Amino acid sequence: MSGREASILVLPTPRASRGLWRDALSRLMRNGPALVGLLLIAIFVMGALFAPVIAPYNPTVGVLMDSMKGPSLAHLMGTDLLGRDEFSRVLYGARISLTVGVVAVAFGLLFGVTVGAIAGGAGGKVDAVLMRITDVFLAVPGILLAIGIVAWLGHGEIQIILAVGISYAPMFARLLRGTLLALREADYVTAARSMGASTPRILLRHMLPNALTPLIVQATLALATAIIDVAGLGFLGLGPGDPRIAEWGEMLTDSARFLQSAPYLIFFPGAAITISAIGFNLLGDGLRESIDPRLKR
Amino acid sequence: MLRYIVRRVLGAIPVLFGLSVILFLFLRLLPGNPAVAILGQHATPQLVAQIDTSLGLDKPLYVQYLQYVWGLLHGNFGASFVDGRSVASTFLVRFPATVELTIGALIFAVGLGIPLGRLAARHPNGWIDGAVTVLSLFGISIPIFVLGYTLVFIFGVELHWLPAVGQIDPRLNVTPVTNFAIIDAILSGRLAAVEDAIAHLILPAIALGSIPLAIVTRITRASVIDVSNEDYVRTARAKGLTEKRVDDRHIMRNAWLPVTTVIGLQVGSLLAGAVLTETVFTWNGVGSWVVTAIENHDLIVVQSLILIFAMIFLAVNLLVDIGYAFLNPRIRYS
């Protein structure tokens, strides 16, 4: 009897929470798949950052004598039609794909968050109008909106960033607006309002920080699709259009004709796109699970 | 129910209006003279004048818009300046190929995704579940065109198992009647032609269906696990019902709802994915037409196709929502 009482007494008290973010971080660090994702992303970021140091050759200057050589010690991933080193091009391609993908998602996030915050914060007619406009953009499926925007704006990295960013903005706007509408009824918002806090203050200081989590998760997952979409635009001939730039999607188009004789020219850039997308997908899923442990897959 | 349908149909009107305004401005707000910008390097005085009159560029903007919408309501989506043919007529010829491809991809995604999801849900966190999770992660991470070329290389170039280009072998001389390759082959009455058309569809359908496959698998798995934890499932087991009966009658009936919704939502990604898939497999559908139009700088076609894709997407979403409301009465009243 006394033994049982004693065992109740020694039950560990729940560890005091150290705050949402630190808890989430410690859960993330114990999430195996997320760490694999982080590692994959780190490899590509390092490759992109140190491309000039790592790349054995100039990615844009080829030696015609070495045209279409298969993978070897001299050329780890072989050479393309113009005799350019494929490994160096994949490395430099990481710079374009990662920067364009990240900047596009950041732009879409900024744009979407602004629209979503105004709609969710103001409510009423402003909300209705903004959401109808969002619906219009959401009605154009997937990469097609980005295709249309690039067709309209013309070639170039900035154009691709704008196109992919704009095509992602409605999703972020929707997400934030939905969360904000749900939060309006939260007790702490009522409390802040009753204490006389101004609407912008309530929105910025109380509601936005609490609405951030789903946005962060969605933005990480969007990085995966953004990289795929940017490559897709390049593949369709809507890439940067600058022969001095190595871009994964354009590299694939250039090599598609040689699928039979030089499949490695498709394999390596293709694997680069896929593996970086896997990295961001793993990290995004891991973030979702660690920020909200109830949502385990 | 009828009120719900009317409300949803009316709800699509502002979206269509907004789309028509944006796409109308798409051509008019091009820098410089719109006709010259539309024609690009093809601009000749005759063509510029032709575009000017066909778009009514000499009239005030609102008149141009009304003319544009009036045309749309009469099925006039403009004409390609490259071949002079109306967008609507070329669309009708090419659309069956895209429908065929999309249906093939859906059959692949749903036919494989639901069993895989159920299998994974049977022992959550077991090794089958792990393998299915890795497969679906791969499915959403590999770009359609990378998977497409990989399939072409393995099954077309190396193994010679399946054709990798087009919809049907032109040497079979199948007369296009419906422009659905498989239906035309059936109409030709030759088994070899039907087999050939189906063989042509397999690789593109797998490439296009990879993302929906991953998503359908994930949702089925999550939905089945969710329902399996319900009290009525435990009750059913406690009553001593066979595992198969519990699975079919108690779990799957309820797990279907989210799965059907997600399947409907995939149509958008399939339509957009068709652009990439058709380019890889030289498939003569609407998707590859978008790419040709962009290469030719045929902006009227690009504009019209975006509008048509969006209309199809809206219509399918509407049908899915109505179907969902039909299955789940709680939706109708919210």
Side-chain angles (χ1 to χ4, degrees):
Chain A
M1 200 65 190
S2 62
R4 180 175 286 177
E5 272 165 28
S7 75
I8 292 171
L9 286 176
V10 295
L11 266 179
T13 45
R15 188 169 44 88
S17 172
R18 295 163 302 173
L20 175 73
W21 296 107
R22 287 192 59 180
D23 276 353
L25 189 70
S26 74
R27 273 193 297 269
L28 188 68
M29 285 304 134
R30 274 178 279 131
N31 184 320
L35 289 181
V36 173
L38 212 53
L39 180 73
L40 294 177
I41 298 167
I43 292 173
F44 278 94
V45 170
M46 287 299 168
L49 277 178
F50 297 108
V53 186
I54 309 169
Y57 300 88
N58 183 325
T60 52
V61 179
V63 180
L64 281 176
M65 292 263 290
D66 292 337
S67 168
M68 306 284 274
K69 291 264 167 66
S72 65
L73 276 180
H75 297 281
L76 287 176
M77 300 182 182
T79 58
D80 67 4
L81 184 67
L82 300 175
R84 297 175 295 195
D85 180 51
E86 191 74 356
F87 177 53
S88 308
R89 289 178 66 73
V90 169
L91 273 177
Y92 274 88
R95 296 189 141 191
I96 299 298
S97 292
L98 292 183
T99 7
V100 172
V102 170
V103 178
V105 170
F107 170 67
L109 194 61
L110 191 71
F111 194 15
V113 163
T114 312
V115 173
I118 294 174
K125 280 192 182 132
V126 178
D127 177 40
V129 170
L130 286 177
M131 281 305 112
R132 286 298 84 72
I133 297 175
T134 312
D135 284 346
V136 171
F137 283 95
L138 283 174
V140 183
I143 197 178
L144 211 61
L145 183 59
I147 290 176
I149 297 173
V150 176
W152 191 63
L153 291 173
H155 290 265
E157 283 166 64
I158 303 290
Q159 285 86 335
I160 297 173
I161 289 171
L162 288 176
V164 176
I166 290 174
S167 66
Y168 284 34
M171 174 181 73
F172 293 126
R174 263 269 157 110
L175 187 64
L176 178 60
R177 179 231 178 217
T179 324
L180 288 182
L181 284 186
L183 285 179
R184 282 172 113 176
E185 311 301 325
D187 287 340
Y188 61 85
V189 173
T190 321
R193 197 172 289 131
S194 65
M195 284 166 70
S198 64
T199 308
R201 189 184 160 83
I202 294 175
L203 195 62
L204 291 174
R205 299 280 306 172
H206 297 274
M207 290 168 81
L208 265 184
N210 285 292
L212 275 180
T213 34
L215 277 177
I216 293 172
V217 171
Q218 201 57 46
T220 313
L221 293 172
L223 282 171
T225 36
I227 286 174
I228 295 175
D229 283 353
V230 169
L233 288 174
F235 170 71
L236 293 175
L238 292 167
D242 184 339
R244 288 165 301 173
I245 295 176
E247 197 274 325
W248 291 340
E250 285 179 342
M251 287 165 71
L252 272 163
T253 322
D254 295 343
S255 320
R257 290 175 286 157
F258 311 114
L259 187 60
Q260 198 152 3
S261 55
Y264 56 89
L265 289 179
I266 293 280
F267 178 78
F268 290 113
I273 307 169
T274 310
I275 294 170
S276 48
I278 287 179
F280 284 109
N281 276 325
L282 283 175
L283 182 64
D285 284 342
L287 273 176
R288 192 202 330 251
E289 285 166 20
S290 51
I291 291 174
D292 189 350
R294 285 167 302 174
L295 282 177
K296 203 144 182 117
R297 259 200 303 154
Chain B
M1 188 69 197
L2 191 69
R3 279 181 66 181
Y4 175 79
I5 296 176
V6 171
R7 199 172 73 214
R8 287 304 320 266
V9 172
L10 290 180
I13 291 175
V15 177
L16 283 175
F17 169 73
L19 257 179
S20 69
V21 171
I22 290 173
L23 287 169
F24 167 77
L25 295 174
F26 175 81
L27 289 182
R28 267 71 177 186
L29 292 185
L30 286 167
N33 176 348
V36 177
I38 290 168
L39 292 167
Q41 62 203 32
H42 309 277
T44 60
Q46 294 99 310
L47 276 175
V48 169
Q50 197 187 317
I51 296 276
D52 270 339
T53 33
S54 74
L55 293 182
L57 290 176
D58 43 348
K59 304 199 179 72
L61 212 56
Y62 73 93
V63 176
Q64 290 180 37
Y65 176 73
L66 289 178
Q67 278 185 343
Y68 171 66
V69 171
W70 188 249
L72 289 182
L73 291 175
H74 290 80
N76 177 8
F77 288 86
S80 155
F81 76 88
V82 174
D83 58 11
R85 281 206 246 152
S86 84
V87 173
S89 66
T90 312
F91 178 84
L92 289 179
V93 174
R94 280 177 164 259
F95 191 51
T98 304
V99 173
E100 202 163 35
L101 174 61
T102 310
I103 291 176
L106 261 183
I107 291 174
F108 168 71
V110 175
L112 196 59
I114 289 180
L116 277 183
R118 289 178 73 169
L119 203 63
R122 197 157 293 162
H123 302 288
N125 302 322
W127 70 269
I128 296 181
D129 187 25
V132 169
T133 307
V134 170
L135 187 77
S136 69
L137 171 70
F138 196 69
I140 53 166
S141 302
I142 189 166
I144 290 174
F145 45 97
V146 175
L147 179 60
Y149 283 126
T150 311
L151 292 172
V152 169
F153 180 71
I154 297 173
F155 297 102
V157 175
E158 288 293 304
L159 298 172
H160 295 287
W161 284 0
L162 289 164
V165 170
Q167 287 176 269
I168 196 158
D169 193 331
R171 285 169 299 184
L172 288 167
N173 277 323
V174 173
T175 19
V177 184
T178 60
N179 289 311
F180 289 95
I182 293 177
I183 297 181
D184 286 345
I186 294 172
L187 290 178
S188 79
R190 280 175 292 164
L191 190 63
V194 181
E195 281 171 359
D196 186 68
I198 292 175
H200 274 85
L201 182 61
I202 294 176
L203 294 183
I206 293 176
L208 181 57
S210 63
I211 296 172
L213 169 68
I215 293 171
V216 169
T217 308
R218 279 187 171 196
I219 292 294
T220 308
R221 174 190 180 276
S223 180
V224 169
I225 290 177
D226 224 35
V227 177
S228 303
N229 292 329
E230 292 284 349
D231 288 340
Y232 56 78
V233 173
R234 203 172 24 175
T235 310
R237 285 218 175 90
K239 283 195 298 187
L241 297 184
T242 60
E243 203 52 33
K244 184 177 160 23
R245 197 172 166 85
V246 174
D247 224 34
D248 294 343
R249 300 289 294 260
H250 295 261
I251 297 181
M252 276 324 280
R253 281 225 175 155
N254 289 290
W256 267 111
L257 276 174
V259 175
T260 35
T261 318
V262 164
I263 293 171
L265 288 176
Q266 291 314 305
V267 171
S269 98
L270 287 171
L271 285 174
V275 177
L276 297 158
T277 316
E278 291 182 6
T279 307
V280 173
F281 292 94
T282 343
W283 195 264
N284 272 324
V286 184
S288 55
W289 189 22
V290 174
V291 181
T292 329
I294 288 171
E295 279 166 6
N296 292 334
H297 204 71
D298 200 347
L299 290 182
I300 296 178
V301 172
V302 176
Q303 173 214 35
S304 307
L305 290 182
I306 291 177
L307 181 64
I308 295 173
F309 271 98
M311 282 163 57
I312 297 170
F313 186 39
L314 281 175
V316 172
N317 277 348
L318 202 66
L319 287 176
V320 171
D321 281 356
I322 291 171
Y324 195 68
F326 201 75
L327 291 171
N328 186 355
R330 275 171 297 181
I331 299 285
R332 277 175 248 165
Y333 307 109
S334 59

